Amino acid sequence: MQWKALAVALFAQTAAAQQMIRFGCSQLVIERLDPLVNPGALESPHLHQIVGGNSFNASMDPAGHDLVADSTCTSCTFSEDFSNYWTAVLFFRARNGTYKRVPQFPNVGLRAVGGVTVYYIPPYDGKTKVTAFKPGFRMLVGDAALRKADGMQRQLCHRCYGAENYEGGGGSGGAPCTGSDTQSLPPVMCNGGIRTTITFPTCWDGKNLDSPDHTSHVAYPSSGTFESVGTCPETHPVRLPQLMYEVMWDTTPFNDKELWPEDGSQPFVWSTGDSSGYSQHGDYVFGWKGDSLQRALDARCNNAVCKELKVQSSEDAMMCTKPQTAVEDVDGWLEGIPGQPMID
């Protein structure tokens, strides 16, 4: 199915598909670094998958780190995007207590090695303008310590795919975080894998590029939603594009009842040590070259087709990788999840 038709299904547009910048970013590295929450630490508490510019490192001090100047490549489709995007990693826990990192598959219409599908979405009315993020801007959404639904931020969810929509085609279930999507990890075997969606706040205070908790400088609309072009609060009056990640997890190799817990409970665990799913979160550090993102948003570019932006081949994007800083095994069957205490 063409992406325009898929967008119609996803976002229930009756006249034309909602225009949005949508592109893939292949895996840059999988490791325990988190320059937002644990700046300078060579081993953060939990494992992340990171995509984007290859200047990613443990500190990324905003006073001196220039993602555009310091990067020599990016794992993203648009060669002017040296931003870094990162998420937690999903593991399968076998009956014998060992763990295996869940592989990933490309989102519909994209070619990538693992990684993240990134969206920058302008307002749905087709005319309201948004302000692109500024150099030095960073934020996170979600809470790695959360283990219950209370306190979970908006539009963080999991989708359980049936075999017929494994490739992201027809019947994909409507807009993200609607229908049967769950905040928790799906409680049943998903014949087509699991998609996770991470959506960031869309209002900015217009002053601070970051905040101590990496969240207070951004907010959600005070009335309505981004999709309904809701009003931003007076404290955060600047309307941002909606930044959204999708991650496709291929859980199908583990779809064997003999591998699942005897009580039938779901066996997947986030790299935070969380089997509930409520700890899902995402981090972002802006790194687009010049005014490229603002120009693309103003032009309402659609998907990865945009005359305002330079595009590199999927092969070049997939070649942009970097070695782990603190080397540890993240593949094969592991006795425990890196950085997490042993679970009985």
Side-chain angles (χ1 to χ4, degrees):
M1 174 183 283
Q2 294 295 316
W3 168 245
K4 183 174 181 180
L6 178 61
V8 173
L10 286 174
F11 296 101
Q13 300 294 311
T14 56
Q18 160 66 13
Q19 290 179 309
M20 61 189 73
I21 303 170
R22 174 188 183 265
F23 58 96
C25 294
S26 282
Q27 223 157 61
L28 181 72
V29 64
I30 297 176
E31 67 176 339
R32 279 199 287 146
L33 291 188
D34 191 336
L36 260 67
V37 179
N38 307 104
L42 291 183
E43 289 188 342
S44 62
H46 60 268
L47 197 66
H48 296 102
Q49 66 152 342
I50 300 103
V51 305
N54 69 342
S55 66
F56 181 86
N57 62 64
S59 57
M60 296 181 72
D61 183 351
H65 186 81
D66 185 332
L67 282 78
V68 175
D70 296 343
S71 296
T72 59
C73 69
T74 175
S75 69
C76 297
T77 298
F78 294 116
S79 57
E80 296 167 288
D81 181 15
F82 299 97
S83 307
N84 285 123
Y85 313 86
W86 64 99
T87 73
V89 177
L90 193 63
F91 281 86
F92 171 79
R93 186 184 188 221
R95 283 187 183 182
N96 65 3
T98 59
Y99 295 85
K100 176 77 171 176
R101 182 166 62 86
V102 177
Q104 295 174 246
F105 61 95
N107 210 332
V108 62
L110 300 176
R111 292 184 61 214
V113 176
V116 177
T117 307
V118 177
Y119 294 74
Y120 289 87
I121 307 173
Y124 283 58
D125 64 357
K127 59 184 180 181
T128 300
K129 299 289 187 180
V130 290
T131 299
F133 307 100
K134 304 299 182 184
F137 187 93
R138 45 190 63 194
M139 63 178 169
L140 64 80
V141 66
D143 182 349
L146 200 63
R147 298 295 184 270
K148 59 183 180 179
D150 291 346
M152 196 171 186
Q153 288 175 272
R154 301 182 195 179
Q155 295 175 296
L156 302 175
C157 62
H158 307 79
R159 176 163 295 180
C160 182
Y161 277 124
E164 70 279 2
N165 49 43
Y166 175 82
E167 296 296 337
S172 59
C177 302
T178 63
S180 60
D181 290 2
T182 56
Q183 291 178 301
S184 62
L185 280 161
V188 298
M189 198 173 287
C190 299
N191 294 328
I194 296 172
R195 186 188 77 190
T196 56
T197 299
I198 298 169
T199 312
F200 289 78
T202 54
C203 300
W204 176 41
D205 66 12
K207 302 173 183 177
N208 298 293
L209 299 174
D210 195 5
S211 50
D213 61 2
H214 313 294
T215 61
S216 298
H217 60 307
V218 290
Y220 296 98
S222 55
S223 61
T225 64
F226 178 84
E227 291 79 5
S228 66
V229 198
T231 303
C232 283
E234 292 183 1
T235 54
H236 297 74
V238 180
R239 193 186 303 271
L240 300 169
Q242 187 175 64
L243 175 63
M244 185 175 79
Y245 304 166
E246 286 181 344
V247 187
M248 314 297 283
W249 301 101
D250 185 5
T251 57
T252 60
F254 311 105
N255 284 354
D256 182 345
K257 290 186 181 297
E258 296 301 314
L259 298 176
W260 279 45
E262 293 183 20
D263 64 3
S265 59
Q266 75 85 22
F268 296 101
V269 185
W270 283 113
S271 54
T272 55
D274 169 37
S275 61
S276 72
Y278 298 123
S279 70
Q280 187 183 186
H281 61 286
D283 299 68
Y284 174 63
V285 177
F286 172 84
W288 285 77
K289 185 176 181 179
D291 66 346
S292 55
L293 180 58
Q294 186 67 64
R295 286 188 284 106
L297 290 166
D298 290 346
R300 290 191 170 262
C301 290
N302 204 21
N303 302 305
V305 179
C306 182
K307 66 180 180 62
E308 302 291 335
L309 299 175
K310 297 177 182 178
V311 179
Q312 64 177 343
S313 68
S314 298
E315 289 74 17
D316 284 343
M318 290 186 282
M319 287 175 59
C320 185
T321 61
K322 65 179 301 177
Q324 289 181 327
T325 303
V327 178
E328 60 185 335
D329 188 10
V330 297
D331 295 305
W333 287 97
L334 308 176
E335 292 298 317
I337 298 175
Q340 297 302 305
M342 297 295 289
I343 300 175
D344 295 330

